[in-house]
Amino acid sequence: MSNEKNAQNQKQAAAQTAITPTRAENYPEWYQQVVRAADLAENSDVRGCMVIKPWGYALWENIQRSLDKMFKDTGHKNAYFPLFIPLSYFEKEAEHVEGFAKECAVVTHHRLKPGVKADGKEGLIPDGELQEPLVVRPTSETIIGASFAKWVQSYRDLPLLINQWANVVRWEMRTRLFLRTAEFLWQEGHTAHATEKEAMDETLKMLEVYADFAENWMAMPVIKGEKTEGERFPGAVNTYCIEAMMQDRKALQAGTSHFLGQNFAHASDIKFSDAEGKISFAWTTSWGVSTRLIGGMIMTHADDDGMVLPPRLAPSHVVIIPVTHKPETAQAVLDFCNRLAADLRKIPYAGRTIDVEVDNRDIRGGDKAWQWIKKGIPLRVEVGPRDMEQDSVFMARRDRAHKDKQSIKRDEFVAQVTTILEDMQSGLFARAKAHRDANMQRIDSRAEFEAFFGAKNEAEDSGGAVKGGFALIHYSPDPKLEDELKAKFAVTCRCIPVEGDAEAGTCIFSGKPSARRAVFAKSY
């Protein structure tokens, strides 16, 4: 009986994970716990806002650095525009203001004074009402358009290719760290062109840049596609996106690129004189990604022990943990570790050099290791007196089981470190792609569609399993039908893919002709 109980205890111990609940038990809560355990961010005292902690912000800095180079390599330059946008600017583009009206934070006063507050207590109250309310930037098409109207006079001023790194505010009711917060960080590109074709080419070029970054830096496979009318950016002629599948089989819109036609040029009076002296309105685009990418990285790669970081974007690549139980060997082991770190830091990798942490904190070695596992650092290296004597290190990869460690000669590790990191990078992408492909299904009838997704599961936000995945269906876009499907199944048309062979068919809902299949899924 005691042997049976001992076996049961061992089984329970083996099943323990660093993150509770697990993905299978409660995916939304698992996500929150991963963010907390990896020390990426925390909720702010300001409702709906977040504090991005150093490890999370270093991850964002690496995203910025990599994307910024890609933008500059395609001819764009960085600028900065005001955080506050006059309300009248939004009113110039009717569809735009309607699309963002419910999310706007508005400044109406410019100072405070002592007075009696609404609750009857004395304190500070707003004073100095503004002549015109100012909207706190939810997006910058209108304010940047005002500058473009001054900068663009002749065809010689075009194309105008601008990007800004900034924060934006959208007054979200239900927030979740990185995925949806009232304030978040992002980049927004804005360009103006002399012809419709140039603007459309720019829109699709930046879609490719985003897809390249998502797949080759984030190790997150994406589908490039066009949004339907009901999902289009307010005021855009066409919206294109990259859509990724998370581990719970929901979709995440990871980036968007908008062809704005001449809508915003008319609203902001962006005009130019062509080579013949004729006055024309410019053709404009906008495109952006945000700190939501970090949420996508978590939900694509993290496991029940915490974060798993794609090496190309990891804040640090290697942590070296000195094992110094005996005082007489402690300094020698630490010196060995510091020399190893110095050699690794000279090695180029992914546009920078290998970043190394030497963790010599006075806490238990096991606690150190688990903290780094939860933070998702790609490689953990332990060095004790015996390893030092053998000129070796003990190495573990974050993409493998935490007990899967190997002894490797020091110089061999230094020589192979970039190869190991790249193997991890490609392995994470392959694993994520296999998951997506296994949960993507071609569906040819409404009955099959409804069976695939099932009725809207109200338990999802408290841990219920998400039914379905990506459904590929023939579909003739219909905004009213999309509203009905969203209400009944919590499903939306994510995009109509721009790649792959055209495949004529009939819409499974209306029977109307369809040129190619669309992607439907539940989403974040």
Side-chain angles (χ1 to χ4, degrees), residues 182-255:
E183 179 193 14
F184 55 91
L185 305 181
W186 79 346
Q187 61 74 212
E188 49 180 321
H190 296 267
T191 70
H193 305 263
T195 68
E196 179 180 12
K197 183 180 184 305
E198 286 179 16
M200 180 57 80
D201 288 347
E202 166 78 7
T203 304
L204 295 176
K205 178 197 296 182
M206 300 320 294
L207 183 72
E208 290 292 338
V209 167
Y210 287 154
D212 179 9
F213 178 76
E215 297 198 336
N216 293 308
W217 290 84
M218 295 178 62
M220 183 176 75
V222 295
I223 295 173
K224 294 174 288 187
E226 182 177 359
K227 289 290 190 182
T228 59
E229 179 186 349
E231 295 289 323
R232 196 177 293 154
F233 178 74
V237 177
N238 305 93
T239 289
Y240 297 87
C241 61
I242 53 172
E243 296 283 337
M245 182 186 290
M246 304 295 96
Q247 291 181 65
D248 64 350
R249 303 190 298 284
K250 282 187 178 181
L252 182 80
Q253 179 180 288

Side-chain angles (χ1 to χ4, degrees), residues 55-68:
W55 190 250
Y57 197 78
L59 184 54
W60 177 242
E61 286 181 312
N62 289 339
I63 290 171
Q64 280 185 298
R65 184 183 300 115
S66 305
L67 272 173
D68 199 62

Side-chain angles (χ1 to χ4, degrees), residues 86 90 111 129 152 158 186 191 208 256 269 317 352 389 403 491:
F90 274 85
R111 63 173 175 256
E129 187 171 355
V152 175
L158 298 172
W186 79 346
T191 70
E208 290 292 338
T256 49
D269 206 31
H317 303 101
R352 51 191 173 124
E389 290 170 7
K403 292 183 179 180
V491 168

Side-chain angles (χ1 to χ4, degrees), residues 143-155:
I143 192 73
I144 291 178
S147 290
F148 277 19
K150 299 172 188 174
W151 300 352
V152 175
Q153 301 298 322
S154 163
Y155 71 94

